[in-house]
Every structure is written in C-alpha cells, then in structure tokens.
Amino acid sequence: MQVGIVGLPNVGKSTLFNALTRAHADVADYPFTTIDKNVGVAEVPDPRLTRLGELMKPEKLTAAHIEYVDIAGLVKGSSKGEGLGNRFLAHIREVDCVLHVLRGFRKGNVAHVDGSVDPLRDAEVIGTELALADLESIESRLEKSEKLARSHDREAEAMLVSLRGAKSLLDSGDVTMQMENPPPGLLSSKPVLYVLNMDESDIASGDLALSEKVREFAQARMAMVCVLCAKSELELADFDPEERATMRKELGLAGHDLDDLITKSYRLLNLITFYTVKGTETRAWNLPSGGSMDEAAGRIHTDMKEGFIKAEVVSFEDLARCGSMQEVRNRGLLRIEGRDYAVRDGDIVLIKFRA
C-alpha cells in the first residue's frame, strides 16, 4: 500500500519525501523539479517494538514500513492536461491515500506559483482539479452503466446509483469521500492527510493560527492534519531516533514532526501491526485492519501460508506484563489460532507450518 505525496509546485513535497525516506530526490525553488515519481519507504515509529527489543534482546530489530510516492506538482488546469497534469493524475490513481502538502512557510526565496501564501486556496485548487478529473471519468462511465442497467444487470444498476450519487456530490462542490460507498477509482474519494509545511520559528513560538484554519477545513472534509517544518525534519533525518527526539524538543518542534505524520499515515491506510519474535530477529509487520492469520502468514513468507498448521498468539500487553515468553506459557496466556483468526493490533505471532 502506498501514500502519494501531492501538492502545488514549491510547497516542499520533495523535501518532505527526502526527510521521510532519506532519499535524494531533486529539490529546487522552481516548479516541476519532480517529473517522474520517486518512491521510498519510511520506518513506522513504534514504542511497542522498542519494548520488545528490551525484553527479547534480539540481534536485529526491524520496524514496519510505509511506502511513500513523491508525485509531480499539480497546477490549476491539471485536469485538462496543464503542467504535468495527466502524469500527475495517473500517479494519484495508483496510490491508496493522499498526503497533501500545503505551504505555510513564508521565509526563504522560494516563489509561490500563485504569488502569495494561502494554504486553503492551494487546497481548494487541488481539490477542484481532482473533482473535475473525477467528473470527466464519471461521465464516461455513466453511459456504459446506463446501457448495462437497461438489461437489468444488477451490478450495473448498483454502479449507476453510485455514479449518479458521486456526480451529484461533485456538482454541488462536496467531495466523494463523504459517500458511504463511492464508485471505485475516483481521485477525490481517497483518504487525505493535509500536511501544513510551516517555518520552524512559527511552530516553536506557538504561532499556529494558520494551522487552526487548515484543521477546520480538513474536519469538514473528514481528513486528518499534521503540522511540521519539512526543512528542519530533513536536517534532522540523519540523526538517530533518540537524538532527533532530543533536538526536536530543544527546537520546540516536538509533536509537530515526522513521527506524527508517519503515525497518521498508518492510520489513514487502516493498518494494524503484528510482531514476530522468533530467532535472532524481532520484527513488526503491517496488515490491513481485519486481516486474517492466513494473510499474516503470507506477509511473513509464502511457505508459511501454504504449509500453515496453526499459530501461537499472545498480546503485546500480556508479554510486556509477563516479561518473557516462558512466563506467558506458564500463565496459560498463549492462544492457539487458525487460518481464519482476525489478527489484532499488537498480536505477537509464532506460526507453525509444514516446510
């Protein structure tokens, strides 16, 4: 599953991508520095994994990861092919949710494509372009669904209702994520995390009035918000986690940082975390919420899924309280689960399988 980083040119998308993934995507103060998409991964902050490392003392501790995609900047008219519009829209269709970077910083010599800093205006520009692209898509799909519905094709009838509902919402200026079951494939139905990229000094001083406006805007659209300084996060990216945390606190950036962004991205993707503690490695894995033990086994190794016999499961809370797997067994807290068991967030799993 992927998170697409989108926004107008010169809002800090590639700086944020580099901070998240420690990649080296080109960054410059002119539009369309990013042309082809860049893909990288970021580790998910996880205090439970840190605690498991303390308990199990493995040789290797491996965090879960999220994949981020840095997508070319969008401009007004992208739905009609302006700028890199067609390529931008195609890349958004491929991702599972959208991290929408808004410019809140005023310092520096980076020009704004519209001449002034106004994150709500910028958010509306991109929202409008996605809606216009969706309307064009809906119009072409409506004709096909109408023809099939005349022959009493039940799937086509249901799709026709969904498409008409989405069109009505978009025509009225609302977004399709407000629908219970939007038609598949729409850009404006993807979950959104708005990231307000501010000056470090404004965050440190508590000057967050701009962020409150963005929060109100996002709340009306059932979206989440994160506030940070991408430039500062990039400067801190090469420090180890403890040093980063200390420096963020000293700079007044704690709580407005990449850890918050990654955690919210994880929630946006509707993922849970389970763990394996076998052998020399203790590892965190992600899984869609509601995923089965069969799916979890497949995430670890295809052989485990194909030869699955049973799974031994204990919750993180029980292991942390007991202090060791042996004590978990002594207290009878280890459960045996089958393929269909719905894995819970924080489960520690040992899968028995035929090799």
Side-chain angles (χ1 to χ4, degrees), residues 31-152:
F32 305 121
T33 307
T34 302
I35 297 177
D36 293 317
K37 65 181 181 181
N38 299 300
V39 182
V41 296
E43 289 189 359
V44 178
D46 190 347
R48 292 182 303 195
L49 182 66
T50 302
R51 179 60 180 147
L52 287 175
E54 294 168 352
L55 290 172
M56 310 306 292
K57 295 181 172 50
E59 293 178 14
K60 186 177 181 182
L61 201 63
T62 305
H65 290 77
I66 298 179
E67 196 165 277
Y68 288 92
V69 183
D70 181 24
I71 297 173
L74 175 146
V75 293
K76 190 173 183 179
S78 289
S79 60
K80 301 299 181 184
E82 292 293 327
L84 298 171
N86 292 332
R87 185 178 301 186
F88 170 92
L89 297 170
H91 289 163
I92 289 188
R93 287 192 176 93
E94 296 170 357
V95 300
D96 299 284
C97 63
V98 171
L99 194 160
H100 185 164
V101 184
L102 302 173
R103 178 170 173 177
F105 64 90
R106 297 178 175 85
K107 297 179 180 178
N109 298 316
V110 181
H112 191 290
V113 290
D114 288 325
S116 62
V117 174
D118 185 342
L120 298 188
R121 177 199 61 207
D122 297 351
E124 291 281 12
V125 167
I126 290 193
T128 298
E129 293 304 319
L130 298 185
L132 289 172
D134 281 342
L135 279 170
E136 186 175 337
S137 170
I138 287 170
E139 291 287 357
S140 63
R141 292 164 68 181
L142 271 172
E143 185 176 350
K144 181 179 179 181
S145 292
E146 285 168 350
K147 288 179 181 178
L148 290 172
R150 291 191 200 107
S151 62
H152 304 292

Side-chain angles (χ1 to χ4, degrees), residues 125-343:
V125 167
I126 290 193
T128 298
E129 293 304 319
L130 298 185
L132 289 172
D134 281 342
L135 279 170
E136 186 175 337
S137 170
I138 287 170
E139 291 287 357
S140 63
R141 292 164 68 181
L142 271 172
E143 185 176 350
K144 181 179 179 181
S145 292
E146 285 168 350
K147 288 179 181 178
L148 290 172
R150 291 191 200 107
S151 62
H152 304 292
D153 182 313
R154 290 187 177 181
E155 288 187 10
E157 289 173 349
M159 179 57 69
L160 187 58
V161 171
S162 183
L163 288 169
R164 285 173 173 169
K167 185 176 186 302
S168 178
L169 271 178
L170 291 170
D171 282 338
S172 68
D174 288 328
V175 290
T176 52
M177 68 176 64
Q178 295 174 340
M179 291 183 67
E180 187 171 335
N181 292 301
L186 296 187
L187 301 173
S188 56
S189 68
K190 294 182 183 293
V192 176
L193 169 60
Y194 290 104
V195 180
L196 183 60
N197 184 14
M198 296 184 67
D199 288 306
E200 178 185 299
S201 57
D202 288 341
I203 297 174
S205 67
D207 184 7
L208 300 174
L210 197 58
S211 72
E212 291 307 312
K213 294 180 180 179
V214 173
R215 289 185 194 282
E216 291 174 8
F217 178 90
Q219 187 174 12
R221 288 155 180 80
M222 299 187 300
M224 289 191 283
V225 176
C226 175
V227 178
L228 51 69
C229 175
K231 181 175 179 290
S232 296
E233 289 298 327
L234 181 59
E235 291 169 353
L236 295 173
D238 289 330
F239 291 92
D240 68 43
E242 288 186 8
E243 288 177 314
R244 278 202 301 273
T246 299
M247 294 182 74
R248 282 169 179 158
K249 189 173 181 179
E250 290 175 353
L251 293 168
L253 302 177
H256 300 290
D257 51 41
L258 288 185
D259 288 357
D260 181 48
L261 184 152
I262 297 169
T263 300
K264 287 176 177 174
S265 298
Y266 207 68
R267 286 167 49 197
L268 204 65
L269 289 168
N270 197 26
L271 297 172
I272 64 168
T273 304
F274 72 95
Y275 303 91
T276 53
V277 297
K278 181 73 172 176
T280 60
E281 181 181 28
T282 292
R283 180 165 180 169
W285 305 82
N286 59 44
L287 188 71
S289 180
S292 68
M293 186 61 73
D294 192 56
E295 294 173 79
R299 290 281 290 115
I300 301 169
H301 200 287
T302 53
D303 288 350
M304 288 190 177
K305 181 173 181 177
E306 292 170 2
F308 183 91
I309 300 172
K310 64 180 181 180
E312 296 180 350
V313 182
V314 61
S315 71
F316 167 80
E317 290 77 10
D318 284 343
L319 177 57
R321 187 167 55 251
C322 291
S324 70
M325 289 298 293
Q326 185 58 53
E327 185 61 20
V328 165
R329 294 177 189 276
N330 292 343
R331 296 189 191 185
L333 296 173
L334 196 68
R335 311 188 310 272
I336 303 300
E337 303 291 355
R339 285 182 180 273
D340 296 333
Y341 168 74
V343 179

